[in-house]
Amino acid sequence: MKRLSAILVWGLAGAWLPGGWLSAQELGTGAAAGSLEVAAAQAEGGVASEAAAPASAEPETVPVTEAADQSGTETEIEAETETETETEPGAGSDSQEAEIGEPPAGAEADAAESVGAPLSVTVAVGAGVGTRRFRRPTPLGVETLPESEFPAVDAAVRVRGQLADHYALEVLVRYQGSLGMTVESQPPFALPVEHAARSQRVELSVAPVMGLGDGALAVSPHIGASLRGFAPDVRDQPTPAYYLVGPHLRLDLIVPVLRGLDLRLGPEAQWIIGINDSITEDGAGDSGLALGLEALVALELGERFGLELAYRQSHARVGHAEDGPDFEDVERFATLRVTGRL
């Protein structure tokens, strides 16, 4: 119907209006164009509206949330990756383990110095001055040797095993004797005779060394046996040789005075259980006691050498088997030794 009405209007316009066909055609064309323009405008408006609607409308939350979650996840992954990179075993762990588990080289050197070598041998050789005197009963009376001085030699070998930081074990072998000693004998019904003699001492002992507290002080009990004696080089003299043997105990206190300078001081007791016949046959008993003292100042001269200034004295007494005079023997040694550690 709309189309038929348009045709009728178009015909009437062409009849009544001059040049109406053109005008009607133009009008129809314009109307059609207007219709097309309106339609196009409506179409463009719809597209524009559809295009503008998403822009004006609020954005959907799901894609944005997913994007945020994805970005946050990626951030967390990157952070974890960086953390793992920082704590990789090859990077930080090894260095931390090296710092915690492995001590520095300086600490190892200090530990080695405090502990020392597991096994060491120290040889000491020196010389000095010694004295001896004795008083002994004889069938003809009491024979006395006054205080007699002589040049002395002093030699020792000490083997030390370091068992812990503040505990060690030492074995000591030591010899002290006279050089060029001479004595004067008074034979009965004869003139005094001067002859050579030997005064000597031999020691074998085992000594644990135990540190006290932080290890600055130490005690070392020497447990062993020792022999001491006197013997003239001429056998036909009226003064016979004699020897005293027995176990001994010496308790040394080791005091570090300065770095590389130590002081040792120890009282000593010996139980004399071995006495030769030349003493017992003249009336002495078969056992006795000796009390003494040793002092030592040790100075280190480098890693392997050192000096030791030693002093020792001991008084031995053996009672008479009956009511006679006791046998007495006194020895002293003061020596300077050079030490070398192997």
Side-chain angles (χ1 to χ4, degrees):
M1 290 296 294
K2 292 181 179 181
R3 189 173 183 179
L4 180 60
S5 300
I7 294 173
L8 293 176
V9 171
W10 177 73
L12 290 176
W16 290 94
L17 295 175
W21 288 104
L22 180 58
S23 300
Q25 290 179 353
E26 291 177 357
L27 180 61
T29 304
S35 300
L36 293 175
E37 289 176 359
V38 171
Q42 290 178 356
E44 290 178 359
V47 173
S49 299
E50 291 178 358
S56 62
E58 295 181 358
E60 295 181 3
T61 58
V62 174
V64 174
T65 305
E66 291 178 355
D69 293 341
Q70 291 178 359
S71 61
T73 304
E74 291 177 357
T75 305
E76 293 175 358
I77 292 174
E78 292 177 356
E80 291 176 358
T81 305
E82 292 177 357
T83 305
E84 291 176 357
T85 305
E86 294 176 355
T87 59
E88 280 183 308
S93 300
D94 290 346
S95 60
Q96 293 178 357
E97 290 178 359
E99 293 176 356
I100 298 175
E102 298 179 359
E108 293 179 355
D110 294 341
E113 184 177 355
S114 62
V115 173
L119 183 66
S120 62
V121 179
T122 302
V123 179
V125 178
V129 179
T131 65
R132 181 171 294 276
R133 67 178 176 88
F134 63 77
R135 178 176 179 267
R136 55 180 293 174
T138 67
L140 300 176
V142 178
E143 183 182 12
T144 302
L145 175 68
E147 196 85 23
S148 301
E149 298 180 357
F150 50 83
V153 294
D154 192 349
V157 176
R158 181 184 296 113
V159 180
R160 179 188 178 100
Q162 193 73 36
L163 305 180
D165 289 345
H166 304 301
Y167 185 79
L169 185 65
E170 292 183 351
V171 177
L172 175 64
V173 179
R174 187 176 181 184
Y175 173 81
Q176 293 173 303
S178 61
L179 286 176
M181 180 183 183
T182 60
V183 296
E184 185 179 274
S185 297
Q186 181 66 51
F189 312 107
L191 295 175
V193 177
E194 186 174 295
H195 55 84
R198 181 172 296 275
S199 177
Q200 57 192 354
R201 175 181 179 271
V202 180
E203 174 186 351
L204 173 62
S205 61
V206 177
V209 182
M210 297 168 287
L212 301 177
D214 57 355
L217 299 177
V219 293
S220 179
H222 285 68
I223 304 171
S226 57
L227 175 148
R228 60 197 286 176
F230 170 84
D233 291 346
V234 181
R235 298 294 181 178
D236 59 354
Q237 294 299 318
T239 302
Y242 66 86
Y243 295 97
L244 308 176
V245 183
H248 70 263
L249 172 63
R250 182 173 64 254
L251 184 61
D252 285 353
L253 176 64
I254 305 173
V255 182
V257 180
L258 297 172
R259 182 176 179 84
L261 180 63
D262 294 342
L263 172 65
R264 288 194 179 201
L265 185 65
E268 179 186 277
Q270 181 186 17
W271 181 27
I272 301 172
I273 58 175
I275 305 173
N276 60 333
D277 296 339
S278 64
I279 301 297
T280 58
E281 289 176 353
D282 292 339
D286 56 0
S287 65
L289 181 66
L291 299 177
L293 176 71
E294 280 199 9
L296 174 70
V297 178
L299 175 63
E300 295 183 359
L301 300 176
E303 296 181 356
R304 297 189 177 275
F305 298 97
L307 291 176
E308 292 181 351
L309 180 62
Y311 174 78
R312 168 186 171 78
Q313 74 174 37
S314 178
H315 299 251
R317 180 184 295 270
V318 179
H320 199 276
E322 299 177 356
D323 295 332
D326 297 339
F327 171 82
E328 296 179 5
D329 177 83
V330 180
E331 65 177 7
R332 291 184 177 90
F333 289 94
T335 57
L336 178 63
R337 303 187 301 235
V338 178
T339 64
R341 186 168 59 250
L342 306 179

